[in-house]
Amino acid sequence: MEAPQTKLESFSAVLIEEYIRLMTAADYLKNEGKTGGTEFKIKPEIYEKLQAEELHNPLIGLMISYEKGILTATPDEEFLRNYDNKIMKEVVFMFAENYKNRYDNFVSCCNIE
């Protein structure tokens, strides 16, 4: 998985939701579950566009709340079990490193630097 050279230009709900999913997994794995939720900066108009989409499959297993420009994603136990094995952990950490700034035009993770 190579790091993209440019930021995402066109809105894609599925890609943004997948970003939220994988960054949440990376945050929980990195902190061994000792976090109250992974926070993302997201503008109200972008959040509204996400909510308007019919499918939210990447967000299955995540409890989502939104307030004042901050989306908080909290995973349930079943979600976390998907990332128990070594390969999935490596994929999540590689994604977090390579894509941490890819979606900045729409959303950014506050927990992962």
Side-chain angles (χ1 to χ4, degrees):
M1 174 184 322
E2 291 183 29
Q5 300 301 311
T6 61
K7 293 183 191 246
L8 184 68
E9 296 293 328
S10 300
F11 177 83
S12 170
V14 171
L15 290 177
I16 292 169
E17 289 177 348
E18 189 66 19
Y19 168 82
I20 291 168
R21 176 183 191 80
L22 293 173
M23 295 303 273
T24 299
D27 179 41
Y28 269 76
L29 292 170
K30 178 181 162 192
N31 293 300
E32 299 175 352
K34 298 174 186 156
T35 179
T38 304
E39 294 182 341
F40 300 86
K41 291 181 191 174
I42 185 168
K43 294 177 184 172
E45 59 271 18
I46 300 299
Y47 180 72
E48 288 174 21
K49 285 175 86 170
L50 281 177
Q51 290 301 103
E53 292 293 322
E54 291 183 28
L55 298 176
H56 298 282
N57 292 355
L59 300 179
I60 291 173
L62 295 175
M63 185 176 72
I64 301 294
S65 63
Y66 182 76
E67 189 174 329
K68 298 180 182 177
I70 300 293
L71 181 146
T72 303
T74 307
D76 62 21
E77 292 292 322
E78 190 172 337
F79 173 94
L80 293 173
R81 274 188 290 240
N82 291 315
Y83 302 97
D84 278 344
N85 70 60
K86 183 180 178 186
I87 293 171
M88 288 305 292
K89 285 179 184 177
E90 289 175 5
V91 167
V92 164
F93 289 138
M94 187 179 298
F95 178 92
E97 180 62 31
N98 290 343
Y99 288 78
K100 63 184 169 192
N101 299 317
R102 169 85 166 141
Y103 300 93
D104 283 353
N105 291 337
F106 304 100
V107 61
S108 61
C109 185
C110 302
N111 297 59
I112 306 256
E113 298 164 13

